[in-house]
Amino acid sequence: LHGKGYDDETCDRASRKRAIHFSHFSVDKGVTPPGIGGGADARAPIAKEWLTGWRQNCKILSAEQLDEEDVDLMHGVEPLTLRHPMDPPGGRPIIFTFYDPIDEQDHTGMTREDDKKLLDSWAQTWYEVGWDPRVLSTEVARQHPDFQAFDQTMQGLPFRRFDRACFYRWLAMSVVNGGWLSDYDTFPLGKVKWEGTGDPRFLPNNGQLTVHEKSKSGGVPSLVSGTGEEWFRLATAQAENARSHSSQAHWSDMKAMQDLYQQSKGQFYVMAENVVMGDAMLRTKSIDRDLCNWLQPKYAVHFSHYSMHHSGRFKDGFEGARNRARVGREWILEYRQSCSIYAAQ
């Protein structure tokens, strides 16, 4: 209640917390909204007014632009509130992503506003096919009892902050007891199903960690599933792997994951072929019946930096990255319209 509105600093600070305490002291010392008196009796309207303004102005935390329903994107999930990480109240399976605001536009090509747009498009698309989208951050990883040791390892490495931050998502997923994690540039094609069951609350491969985008090197973690124990196993193994490569100029969680896969001769985790590279889809002239049939068993499309750069639509990867929210959303809608026509015939 500082009276300065909802600037970036206020939004960032609030995004990393679980709740706000509108105490007697806070209301007495703070700046109350116009037309609302002070004192303990005014706490209810003050809290309602502040939270309404927060949801409207701190867009990264909400998906209120959705047409169907009001869906909140939460920076963190308290595991104790869930009966099971894949069985939340309301019956929707949870799809997590990980986001920490990092001022490295020269590396990612993305501004803070670009990230917000992409997160909103990601959330809307997953919600429309039956999932409950949630956003994790490093603050969730901090809840893990081994966070301090993990953090000391990561902070001692010479890599860029962006690369180090990606390692924390594996620890954050173990905090929420595992489940599904998607990059927020990975958009679902439809309701995820696999052999044996159509219920996405159950994890494939008996919960063994599964990387759903295949590559020659050992997969791309654009969509990953597994139990909490499996996520923790990968988190600790990747941190140790990163430490052994501290002399490298660049090392990421994906490089660590792939290195572990190669060292184990493909036994460290399961690699599946359920996610399609976005550049292959964007280079197609039209979405015809053959493409619809080929995509039918797939889970999602990954509109990565690489895909946008190699799509032939943009002058460079940075321009493509900044337009992923629009391009990904437009392609998904075209896919739904085209393939629904063929399915009805």
PDB file of all heavy atoms in Angstrom, residues 239-253:
ATOM      1  N   ALA A 239      23.232 -30.923 -11.941  1.00  0.00           N
ATOM      2  CA  ALA A 239      24.079 -29.976 -11.210  1.00  0.00           C
ATOM      3  C   ALA A 239      25.509 -30.498 -11.112  1.00  0.00           C
ATOM      4  O   ALA A 239      26.480 -29.750 -11.304  1.00  0.00           O
ATOM      5  CB  ALA A 239      23.509 -29.727  -9.820  1.00  0.00           C
ATOM      6  N   GLU A 240      25.650 -31.786 -10.833  1.00  0.00           N
ATOM      7  CA  GLU A 240      26.983 -32.384 -10.760  1.00  0.00           C
ATOM      8  C   GLU A 240      27.653 -32.383 -12.136  1.00  0.00           C
ATOM      9  O   GLU A 240      28.855 -32.125 -12.265  1.00  0.00           O
ATOM     10  CB  GLU A 240      26.883 -33.815 -10.229  1.00  0.00           C
ATOM     11  CG  GLU A 240      28.221 -34.494  -9.982  1.00  0.00           C
ATOM     12  CD  GLU A 240      29.076 -33.748  -8.977  1.00  0.00           C
ATOM     13  OE1 GLU A 240      28.510 -33.165  -8.026  1.00  0.00           O
ATOM     14  OE2 GLU A 240      30.315 -33.750  -9.142  1.00  0.00           O
ATOM     15  N   ASN A 241      26.862 -32.652 -13.163  1.00  0.00           N
ATOM     16  CA  ASN A 241      27.400 -32.640 -14.523  1.00  0.00           C
ATOM     17  C   ASN A 241      27.875 -31.242 -14.911  1.00  0.00           C
ATOM     18  O   ASN A 241      28.935 -31.084 -15.531  1.00  0.00           O
ATOM     19  CB  ASN A 241      26.338 -33.133 -15.507  1.00  0.00           C
ATOM     20  CG  ASN A 241      26.831 -33.176 -16.935  1.00  0.00           C
ATOM     21  OD1 ASN A 241      26.773 -32.169 -17.648  1.00  0.00           O
ATOM     22  ND2 ASN A 241      27.299 -34.333 -17.373  1.00  0.00           N
ATOM     23  N   ALA A 242      27.081 -30.223 -14.530  1.00  0.00           N
ATOM     24  CA  ALA A 242      27.456 -28.844 -14.846  1.00  0.00           C
ATOM     25  C   ALA A 242      28.761 -28.464 -14.149  1.00  0.00           C
ATOM     26  O   ALA A 242      29.612 -27.784 -14.725  1.00  0.00           O
ATOM     27  CB  ALA A 242      26.339 -27.895 -14.428  1.00  0.00           C
ATOM     28  N   ARG A 243      28.905 -28.916 -12.907  1.00  0.00           N
ATOM     29  CA  ARG A 243      30.136 -28.613 -12.169  1.00  0.00           C
ATOM     30  C   ARG A 243      31.345 -29.246 -12.854  1.00  0.00           C
ATOM     31  O   ARG A 243      32.427 -28.644 -12.893  1.00  0.00           O
ATOM     32  CB  ARG A 243      30.024 -29.096 -10.730  1.00  0.00           C
ATOM     33  CG  ARG A 243      31.236 -28.737  -9.889  1.00  0.00           C
ATOM     34  CD  ARG A 243      30.949 -28.837  -8.406  1.00  0.00           C
ATOM     35  NE  ARG A 243      30.447 -30.152  -8.002  1.00  0.00           N
ATOM     36  CZ  ARG A 243      30.107 -30.465  -6.756  1.00  0.00           C
ATOM     37  NH1 ARG A 243      30.180 -29.544  -5.803  1.00  0.00           N
ATOM     38  NH2 ARG A 243      29.668 -31.679  -6.476  1.00  0.00           N
ATOM     39  N   SER A 244      31.176 -30.424 -13.425  1.00  0.00           N
ATOM     40  CA  SER A 244      32.296 -31.089 -14.104  1.00  0.00           C
ATOM     41  C   SER A 244      32.625 -30.431 -15.441  1.00  0.00           C
ATOM     42  O   SER A 244      33.663 -30.734 -16.033  1.00  0.00           O
ATOM     43  CB  SER A 244      31.971 -32.573 -14.325  1.00  0.00           C
ATOM     44  OG  SER A 244      30.935 -32.732 -15.284  1.00  0.00           O
ATOM     45  N   HIS A 245      31.740 -29.533 -15.911  1.00  0.00           N
ATOM     46  CA  HIS A 245      31.981 -28.821 -17.170  1.00  0.00           C
ATOM     47  C   HIS A 245      32.146 -27.317 -16.928  1.00  0.00           C
ATOM     48  O   HIS A 245      31.865 -26.500 -17.800  1.00  0.00           O
ATOM     49  CB  HIS A 245      30.828 -29.053 -18.145  1.00  0.00           C
ATOM     50  CG  HIS A 245      30.779 -30.449 -18.705  1.00  0.00           C
ATOM     51  ND1 HIS A 245      30.166 -31.483 -18.032  1.00  0.00           N
ATOM     52  CD2 HIS A 245      31.276 -30.976 -19.845  1.00  0.00           C
ATOM     53  CE1 HIS A 245      30.273 -32.590 -18.749  1.00  0.00           C
ATOM     54  NE2 HIS A 245      30.943 -32.318 -19.859  1.00  0.00           N
ATOM     55  N   SER A 246      32.600 -26.958 -15.743  1.00  0.00           N
ATOM     56  CA  SER A 246      32.714 -25.546 -15.393  1.00  0.00           C
ATOM     57  C   SER A 246      33.750 -24.800 -16.233  1.00  0.00           C
ATOM     58  O   SER A 246      33.756 -23.569 -16.267  1.00  0.00           O
ATOM     59  CB  SER A 246      33.060 -25.396 -13.907  1.00  0.00           C
ATOM     60  OG  SER A 246      34.286 -26.062 -13.613  1.00  0.00           O
ATOM     61  N   SER A 247      34.598 -25.520 -16.928  1.00  0.00           N
ATOM     62  CA  SER A 247      35.581 -24.861 -17.793  1.00  0.00           C
ATOM     63  C   SER A 247      34.990 -24.463 -19.145  1.00  0.00           C
ATOM     64  O   SER A 247      35.619 -23.732 -19.909  1.00  0.00           O
ATOM     65  CB  SER A 247      36.783 -25.791 -18.025  1.00  0.00           C
ATOM     66  OG  SER A 247      36.373 -27.002 -18.663  1.00  0.00           O
ATOM     67  N   GLN A 248      33.776 -24.935 -19.412  1.00  0.00           N
ATOM     68  CA  GLN A 248      33.120 -24.609 -20.679  1.00  0.00           C
ATOM     69  C   GLN A 248      32.617 -23.167 -20.648  1.00  0.00           C
ATOM     70  O   GLN A 248      32.188 -22.653 -19.605  1.00  0.00           O
ATOM     71  CB  GLN A 248      31.933 -25.551 -20.914  1.00  0.00           C
ATOM     72  CG  GLN A 248      32.299 -27.016 -20.999  1.00  0.00           C
ATOM     73  CD  GLN A 248      32.903 -27.382 -22.348  1.00  0.00           C
ATOM     74  OE1 GLN A 248      32.692 -26.694 -23.340  1.00  0.00           O
ATOM     75  NE2 GLN A 248      33.663 -28.465 -22.377  1.00  0.00           N
ATOM     76  N   ALA A 249      32.632 -22.510 -21.810  1.00  0.00           N
ATOM     77  CA  ALA A 249      32.103 -21.150 -21.896  1.00  0.00           C
ATOM     78  C   ALA A 249      30.585 -21.136 -21.797  1.00  0.00           C
ATOM     79  O   ALA A 249      29.989 -20.168 -21.310  1.00  0.00           O
ATOM     80  CB  ALA A 249      32.546 -20.503 -23.211  1.00  0.00           C
ATOM     81  N   HIS A 250      29.961 -22.225 -22.232  1.00  0.00           N
ATOM     82  CA  HIS A 250      28.493 -22.309 -22.203  1.00  0.00           C
ATOM     83  C   HIS A 250      28.094 -23.737 -21.867  1.00  0.00           C
ATOM     84  O   HIS A 250      28.573 -24.689 -22.474  1.00  0.00           O
ATOM     85  CB  HIS A 250      27.921 -21.900 -23.565  1.00  0.00           C
ATOM     86  CG  HIS A 250      26.484 -22.282 -23.754  1.00  0.00           C
ATOM     87  ND1 HIS A 250      25.457 -21.735 -23.001  1.00  0.00           N
ATOM     88  CD2 HIS A 250      25.897 -23.164 -24.605  1.00  0.00           C
ATOM     89  CE1 HIS A 250      24.313 -22.257 -23.382  1.00  0.00           C
ATOM     90  NE2 HIS A 250      24.546 -23.128 -24.352  1.00  0.00           N
ATOM     91  N   TRP A 251      27.229 -23.862 -20.866  1.00  0.00           N
ATOM     92  CA  TRP A 251      26.696 -25.184 -20.503  1.00  0.00           C
ATOM     93  C   TRP A 251      25.299 -24.980 -19.937  1.00  0.00           C
ATOM     94  O   TRP A 251      25.084 -24.143 -19.074  1.00  0.00           O
ATOM     95  CB  TRP A 251      27.588 -25.873 -19.480  1.00  0.00           C
ATOM     96  CG  TRP A 251      27.395 -27.367 -19.434  1.00  0.00           C
ATOM     97  CD1 TRP A 251      26.757 -28.091 -18.476  1.00  0.00           C
ATOM     98  CD2 TRP A 251      27.856 -28.300 -20.409  1.00  0.00           C
ATOM     99  NE1 TRP A 251      26.782 -29.434 -18.783  1.00  0.00           N
ATOM    100  CE2 TRP A 251      27.453 -29.595 -19.967  1.00  0.00           C
ATOM    101  CE3 TRP A 251      28.554 -28.192 -21.621  1.00  0.00           C
ATOM    102  CZ2 TRP A 251      27.739 -30.757 -20.703  1.00  0.00           C
ATOM    103  CZ3 TRP A 251      28.841 -29.355 -22.335  1.00  0.00           C
ATOM    104  CH2 TRP A 251      28.436 -30.608 -21.872  1.00  0.00           C
ATOM    105  N   SER A 252      24.343 -25.715 -20.444  1.00  0.00           N
ATOM    106  CA  SER A 252      22.942 -25.544 -20.047  1.00  0.00           C
ATOM    107  C   SER A 252      22.398 -26.836 -19.464  1.00  0.00           C
ATOM    108  O   SER A 252      23.058 -27.890 -19.512  1.00  0.00           O
ATOM    109  CB  SER A 252      22.102 -25.146 -21.266  1.00  0.00           C
ATOM    110  OG  SER A 252      22.086 -26.207 -22.222  1.00  0.00           O
ATOM    111  N   ASP A 253      21.173 -26.773 -18.926  1.00  0.00           N
ATOM    112  CA  ASP A 253      20.552 -27.991 -18.411  1.00  0.00           C
ATOM    113  C   ASP A 253      20.316 -28.987 -19.537  1.00  0.00           C
ATOM    114  O   ASP A 253      20.396 -30.198 -19.336  1.00  0.00           O
ATOM    115  CB  ASP A 253      19.256 -27.661 -17.666  1.00  0.00           C
ATOM    116  CG  ASP A 253      18.186 -27.070 -18.561  1.00  0.00           C
ATOM    117  OD1 ASP A 253      18.528 -26.339 -19.509  1.00  0.00           O
ATOM    118  OD2 ASP A 253      16.987 -27.324 -18.312  1.00  0.00           O
TER     119      ASP A 253
END
